[in-house]
Amino acid sequence: MRIGVIGTGRIGAIHANTLSRHREVGSLILTDVNPARAQELANRLGETAAPGVDEIFTWGVDAVVITATTSAHAELIGRAARSGLPVFCEQPISLDLPNTLHALAEVEAAGTILQMGYQRRFDAGYTGAREAILSGRLGRLHTIRAVTSDQSPPAAAWLPQSGGLYRDALIHDFDVLRWLTGREVVDVYATGSDAGPAMFRAAGDIDTAAVVLTLDDGTLATATATRLNGAGYDVRMELAGELDQIVVGLDDRTPIASTEPTGPPAADRPWTGFLERFKPAYEAELCAFVEVVRGELASPCDGREALQALRIAEACEVSRRERRAVGLAEIPGGVMSTLR
């Protein structure tokens, strides 16, 4: 098969490298707003570079992988849907609900396939946690605690287009929380702090956040995030039930130190970022997409799943702004018939 890759930045290059090595992928067509970057990657992989997005659709491909800037995602998803092509798209579909709903409506109308890039669904730790829940090992799940902490802040210029800490970072926790438990979030209470570098205040963003979420079966969850965790990149999730308790993301590279005399030592090589921590998961999600294109697998994370994660992030924004609990019923997009 031939796959078009739109966007050859760092994540686009990783996906292109994975696909180029896949035995079921015959060739790639790469394009980018920076043609020289696409050409350099094409030369390195032995693939073809296209001068623009139009050529992705006119030269003939069997599927499209979208890793362009977020602002272009919704339009590109719609264009691929109208062309009858399966799509893999890095999250999010859009930073706002109207454009997200419009793109999903185009996919629904065309009857095409969309797989969203929530890579934690392919991480060994999270898949192990899901198996533990489904097997009944934990008993009734009562408490979940999620942590997502970046080692260092992003560039100031990127913050205004990131969508904010809830949509950019915690949205992964929101997605995997639903996937692990099979439950829906009923309401959230969110708060945040911009007490760190001034660039966060200038962008109208926060550098640290905390959320309390109630699931529809009464399970309580907390999710925290920060851009300023100097010890390293830290992504963990603790799941506590009446019978057992487990944790995702605790290994010899977790950037946390114990103060107990017999506690484990601090990590010698703490994780530094998401591309390093989730490298196998990024590869696995693209391999799954190849199976989806071949008709061997249903989309493991379709656009409707991405919509629900975005709705939770939207509820968090309202909660922080208005300093109150926000029910998910207040956020548009909960009834799938609204897509039609």
Side-chain angles (χ1 to χ4, degrees):
M1 72 178 69
R2 173 186 276 188
I3 296 179
V5 179
I6 304 174
T8 57
R10 60 179 180 172
I11 193 65
I14 288 171
H15 289 340
N17 184 65
T18 297
L19 292 169
S20 184
R21 293 183 286 107
H22 199 289
R23 66 180 182 275
E24 301 294 347
V25 178
S27 61
L28 303 177
I29 301 177
L30 313 176
T31 193
D32 193 273
V33 291
N34 180 349
R37 183 165 65 180
Q39 187 63 64
E40 189 278 329
L41 180 61
N43 291 344
R44 179 151 48 90
L45 297 178
E47 304 290 355
T48 302
V53 172
D54 289 345
E55 285 75 13
I56 294 291
F57 296 97
T58 59
W59 287 3
V61 294
D62 300 298
V64 175
V65 170
I66 299 171
T67 56
T69 182
T70 298
S71 60
H73 287 185
E75 191 277 329
L76 291 170
I77 288 171
R79 185 168 182 181
R82 295 189 298 274
S83 300
L85 294 171
V87 175
F88 175 94
C89 184
E90 276 301 323
Q91 70 84 28
I93 294 171
S94 174
L95 294 177
D96 64 71
L97 284 168
N99 281 319
T100 297
L101 290 167
H102 180 73
L104 291 180
E106 292 214 67
V107 173
E108 293 266 324
T112 51
I113 296 169
L114 173 61
Q115 179 182 334
M116 295 302 300
Y118 282 96
Q119 85 283 352
R120 293 189 193 181
R121 294 181 178 222
F122 297 86
D123 176 72
Y126 284 104
T127 55
R130 189 168 191 257
E131 291 166 4
I133 293 172
L134 292 174
S135 72
R137 169 184 163 185
L138 304 184
R140 184 186 70 86
L141 193 63
H142 54 74
T143 307
I144 300 172
R145 294 175 285 269
V147 175
T148 292
S149 301
D150 291 332
Q151 183 177 30
S152 54
W158 181 79
L159 286 175
Q161 57 186 304
S162 72
L165 194 55
Y166 300 115
R167 296 187 190 93
D168 177 60
L170 278 170
I171 199 166
H172 287 279
D173 295 286
F174 302 152
D175 174 70
V176 85
L177 175 65
R178 293 180 63 251
W179 181 70
L180 285 175
T181 64
R183 314 304 307 192
E184 296 295 342
V185 173
V186 174
D187 58 48
V188 306
Y189 187 89
T191 187
S193 171
D194 61 2
M199 65 181 183
F200 290 98
R201 293 185 291 280
D205 198 2
I206 52 178
D207 56 69
T208 304
V211 186
V212 178
L213 310 98
T214 304
L215 306 190
D216 59 10
D217 64 347
T219 301
L220 298 180
T222 61
T224 63
T226 185
R227 302 288 196 186
L228 304 164
N229 196 58
Y233 181 72
D234 188 11
V235 171
R236 282 175 287 124
M237 180 174 277
E238 299 173 8
L239 301 105
E242 293 182 345
L243 299 180
D244 202 356
Q245 180 173 236
I246 57 176
V247 59
V248 177
L250 183 60
D251 59 21
D252 61 358
R253 299 192 64 184
T254 304
I256 191 167
S258 174
T259 60
E260 299 296 335
T262 59
D268 290 332
R269 293 188 308 115
W271 298 109
T272 58
F274 64 93
L275 293 178
E276 180 187 33
R277 164 67 177 82
F278 290 109
K279 184 177 184 295
Y282 279 117
E283 293 181 355
E285 69 178 356
L286 265 293
C287 291
F289 181 59
V290 172
E291 292 184 61
V292 170
V293 176
R294 287 172 55 83
E296 300 167 351
L297 181 71
S299 174
C301 185
D302 66 21
R304 292 170 295 184
E305 297 287 296
L307 169 64
Q308 299 315 315
L310 178 60
R311 290 180 66 241
I312 298 170
E314 290 285 325
C316 289
E317 290 287 2
V318 175
S319 177
R320 180 176 72 91
R321 184 170 63 247
E322 300 183 5
R323 294 181 175 272
R324 66 178 179 90
V326 174
L328 265 290
E330 301 178 46
I331 309 300
V335 179
M336 297 315 298
S337 62
T338 59
L339 294 179
R340 297 181 178 10

mmCIF file of all heavy atoms in Angstrom, residues 44-64:
data_model
loop_
_atom_site.group_PDB
_atom_site.id
_atom_site.type_symbol
_atom_site.label_atom_id
_atom_site.label_comp_id
_atom_site.label_asym_id
_atom_site.label_seq_id
_atom_site.Cartn_x
_atom_site.Cartn_y
_atom_site.Cartn_z
ATOM 1 N N ARG A 44 16.247 10.492 3.214
ATOM 2 C CA ARG A 44 16.789 9.631 4.267
ATOM 3 C C ARG A 44 16.091 8.275 4.301
ATOM 4 O O ARG A 44 16.730 7.254 4.569
ATOM 5 C CB ARG A 44 16.656 10.359 5.607
ATOM 6 C CG ARG A 44 17.140 9.586 6.810
ATOM 7 C CD ARG A 44 17.643 10.525 7.904
ATOM 8 N NE ARG A 44 16.709 11.602 8.175
ATOM 9 C CZ ARG A 44 15.716 11.541 9.081
ATOM 10 N NH1 ARG A 44 15.539 10.426 9.771
ATOM 11 N NH2 ARG A 44 14.933 12.575 9.301
ATOM 12 N N LEU A 45 14.792 8.252 4.007
ATOM 13 C CA LEU A 45 14.019 7.016 4.082
ATOM 14 C C LEU A 45 13.909 6.286 2.743
ATOM 15 O O LEU A 45 13.413 5.159 2.690
ATOM 16 C CB LEU A 45 12.611 7.311 4.602
ATOM 17 C CG LEU A 45 12.502 7.886 6.016
ATOM 18 C CD1 LEU A 45 11.044 8.154 6.352
ATOM 19 C CD2 LEU A 45 13.126 6.950 7.041
ATOM 20 N N GLY A 46 14.349 6.935 1.663
ATOM 21 C CA GLY A 46 14.187 6.334 0.346
ATOM 22 C C GLY A 46 12.749 6.390 -0.144
ATOM 23 O O GLY A 46 12.272 5.498 -0.857
ATOM 24 N N GLU A 47 12.031 7.464 0.239
ATOM 25 C CA GLU A 47 10.634 7.644 -0.149
ATOM 26 C C GLU A 47 10.503 8.861 -1.059
ATOM 27 O O GLU A 47 11.499 9.466 -1.456
ATOM 28 C CB GLU A 47 9.756 7.795 1.107
ATOM 29 C CG GLU A 47 9.864 6.648 2.097
ATOM 30 C CD GLU A 47 9.232 5.347 1.591
ATOM 31 O OE1 GLU A 47 8.623 5.341 0.502
ATOM 32 O OE2 GLU A 47 9.347 4.329 2.307
ATOM 33 N N THR A 48 9.265 9.239 -1.378
ATOM 34 C CA THR A 48 8.996 10.337 -2.314
ATOM 35 C C THR A 48 8.448 11.542 -1.577
ATOM 36 O O THR A 48 7.565 11.408 -0.724
ATOM 37 C CB THR A 48 7.969 9.894 -3.381
ATOM 38 O OG1 THR A 48 8.475 8.761 -4.075
ATOM 39 C CG2 THR A 48 7.687 11.020 -4.360
ATOM 40 N N ALA A 49 8.959 12.732 -1.920
ATOM 41 C CA ALA A 49 8.436 13.979 -1.357
ATOM 42 C C ALA A 49 7.516 14.633 -2.376
ATOM 43 O O ALA A 49 7.786 14.600 -3.580
ATOM 44 C CB ALA A 49 9.569 14.920 -0.984
ATOM 45 N N ALA A 50 6.428 15.211 -1.891
ATOM 46 C CA ALA A 50 5.490 15.931 -2.752
ATOM 47 C C ALA A 50 5.573 17.420 -2.435
ATOM 48 O O ALA A 50 5.812 17.797 -1.283
ATOM 49 C CB ALA A 50 4.070 15.430 -2.528
ATOM 50 N N PRO A 51 5.369 18.280 -3.416
ATOM 51 C CA PRO A 51 5.489 19.722 -3.179
ATOM 52 C C PRO A 51 4.400 20.294 -2.291
ATOM 53 O O PRO A 51 4.574 21.359 -1.704
ATOM 54 C CB PRO A 51 5.432 20.324 -4.586
ATOM 55 C CG PRO A 51 4.771 19.293 -5.428
ATOM 56 C CD PRO A 51 5.161 17.970 -4.848
ATOM 57 N N GLY A 52 3.237 19.609 -2.195
ATOM 58 C CA GLY A 52 2.145 20.136 -1.384
ATOM 59 C C GLY A 52 1.112 19.081 -1.065
ATOM 60 O O GLY A 52 1.207 17.929 -1.511
ATOM 61 N N VAL A 53 0.096 19.490 -0.319
ATOM 62 C CA VAL A 53 -0.967 18.564 0.088
ATOM 63 C C VAL A 53 -1.774 18.072 -1.106
ATOM 64 O O VAL A 53 -2.196 16.905 -1.139
ATOM 65 C CB VAL A 53 -1.891 19.251 1.116
ATOM 66 C CG1 VAL A 53 -3.119 18.390 1.405
ATOM 67 C CG2 VAL A 53 -1.130 19.530 2.409
ATOM 68 N N ASP A 54 -1.988 18.923 -2.097
ATOM 69 C CA ASP A 54 -2.792 18.516 -3.255
ATOM 70 C C ASP A 54 -2.264 17.229 -3.880
ATOM 71 O O ASP A 54 -3.041 16.350 -4.276
ATOM 72 C CB ASP A 54 -2.814 19.625 -4.314
ATOM 73 C CG ASP A 54 -3.642 20.821 -3.883
ATOM 74 O OD1 ASP A 54 -4.416 20.681 -2.907
ATOM 75 O OD2 ASP A 54 -3.516 21.886 -4.509
ATOM 76 N N GLU A 55 -0.943 17.125 -3.965
ATOM 77 C CA GLU A 55 -0.353 15.950 -4.610
ATOM 78 C C GLU A 55 -0.616 14.660 -3.814
ATOM 79 O O GLU A 55 -0.666 13.577 -4.389
ATOM 80 C CB GLU A 55 1.151 16.152 -4.787
ATOM 81 C CG GLU A 55 1.524 17.113 -5.908
ATOM 82 C CD GLU A 55 1.297 18.564 -5.575
ATOM 83 O OE1 GLU A 55 1.076 18.876 -4.372
ATOM 84 O OE2 GLU A 55 1.327 19.411 -6.491
ATOM 85 N N ILE A 56 -0.774 14.781 -2.503
ATOM 86 C CA ILE A 56 -1.097 13.594 -1.702
ATOM 87 C C ILE A 56 -2.375 12.948 -2.236
ATOM 88 O O ILE A 56 -2.490 11.718 -2.322
ATOM 89 C CB ILE A 56 -1.272 13.964 -0.216
ATOM 90 C CG1 ILE A 56 0.049 14.443 0.384
ATOM 91 C CG2 ILE A 56 -1.857 12.792 0.589
ATOM 92 C CD1 ILE A 56 1.103 13.378 0.539
ATOM 93 N N PHE A 57 -3.328 13.783 -2.617
ATOM 94 C CA PHE A 57 -4.619 13.266 -3.069
ATOM 95 C C PHE A 57 -4.659 12.985 -4.570
ATOM 96 O O PHE A 57 -5.381 12.099 -5.016
ATOM 97 C CB PHE A 57 -5.720 14.257 -2.676
ATOM 98 C CG PHE A 57 -5.875 14.406 -1.182
ATOM 99 C CD1 PHE A 57 -5.263 15.459 -0.509
ATOM 100 C CD2 PHE A 57 -6.586 13.483 -0.445
ATOM 101 C CE1 PHE A 57 -5.386 15.585 0.871
ATOM 102 C CE2 PHE A 57 -6.720 13.602 0.931
ATOM 103 C CZ PHE A 57 -6.115 14.656 1.594
ATOM 104 N N THR A 58 -3.874 13.699 -5.362
ATOM 105 C CA THR A 58 -3.923 13.491 -6.812
ATOM 106 C C THR A 58 -2.964 12.413 -7.298
ATOM 107 O O THR A 58 -3.190 11.810 -8.349
ATOM 108 C CB THR A 58 -3.631 14.807 -7.559
ATOM 109 O OG1 THR A 58 -2.337 15.289 -7.190
ATOM 110 C CG2 THR A 58 -4.677 15.852 -7.240
ATOM 111 N N TRP A 59 -1.899 12.153 -6.547
ATOM 112 C CA TRP A 59 -0.944 11.130 -6.966
ATOM 113 C C TRP A 59 -1.412 9.719 -6.618
ATOM 114 O O TRP A 59 -0.841 8.755 -7.096
ATOM 115 C CB TRP A 59 0.426 11.389 -6.326
ATOM 116 C CG TRP A 59 1.150 12.560 -6.913
ATOM 117 C CD1 TRP A 59 0.693 13.409 -7.877
ATOM 118 C CD2 TRP A 59 2.458 13.021 -6.559
ATOM 119 N NE1 TRP A 59 1.628 14.376 -8.146
ATOM 120 C CE2 TRP A 59 2.730 14.156 -7.360
ATOM 121 C CE3 TRP A 59 3.419 12.602 -5.651
ATOM 122 C CZ2 TRP A 59 3.919 14.868 -7.260
ATOM 123 C CZ3 TRP A 59 4.611 13.304 -5.553
ATOM 124 C CH2 TRP A 59 4.852 14.425 -6.355
ATOM 125 N N GLY A 60 -2.391 9.643 -5.757
ATOM 126 C CA GLY A 60 -2.968 8.334 -5.450
ATOM 127 C C GLY A 60 -2.343 7.669 -4.247
ATOM 128 O O GLY A 60 -1.189 7.227 -4.306
ATOM 129 N N VAL A 61 -3.081 7.627 -3.145
ATOM 130 C CA VAL A 61 -2.633 6.928 -1.934
ATOM 131 C C VAL A 61 -3.783 6.055 -1.418
ATOM 132 O O VAL A 61 -4.941 6.260 -1.769
ATOM 133 C CB VAL A 61 -2.185 7.915 -0.826
ATOM 134 C CG1 VAL A 61 -0.944 8.672 -1.251
ATOM 135 C CG2 VAL A 61 -3.315 8.867 -0.456
ATOM 136 N N ASP A 62 -3.440 5.094 -0.571
ATOM 137 C CA ASP A 62 -4.443 4.210 0.016
ATOM 138 C C ASP A 62 -4.909 4.683 1.385
ATOM 139 O O ASP A 62 -5.941 4.220 1.887
ATOM 140 C CB ASP A 62 -3.877 2.788 0.152
ATOM 141 C CG ASP A 62 -3.474 2.219 -1.200
ATOM 142 O OD1 ASP A 62 -4.359 2.078 -2.054
ATOM 143 O OD2 ASP A 62 -2.269 1.937 -1.394
ATOM 144 N N ALA A 63 -4.148 5.577 2.001
ATOM 145 C CA ALA A 63 -4.476 6.098 3.319
ATOM 146 C C ALA A 63 -3.642 7.342 3.577
ATOM 147 O O ALA A 63 -2.652 7.594 2.879
ATOM 148 C CB ALA A 63 -4.218 5.046 4.400
ATOM 149 N N VAL A 64 -4.052 8.108 4.585
ATOM 150 C CA VAL A 64 -3.369 9.355 4.917
ATOM 151 C C VAL A 64 -3.046 9.379 6.407
ATOM 152 O O VAL A 64 -3.879 9.000 7.241
ATOM 153 C CB VAL A 64 -4.242 10.576 4.561
ATOM 154 C CG1 VAL A 64 -3.587 11.865 5.027
ATOM 155 C CG2 VAL A 64 -4.499 10.635 3.061
#
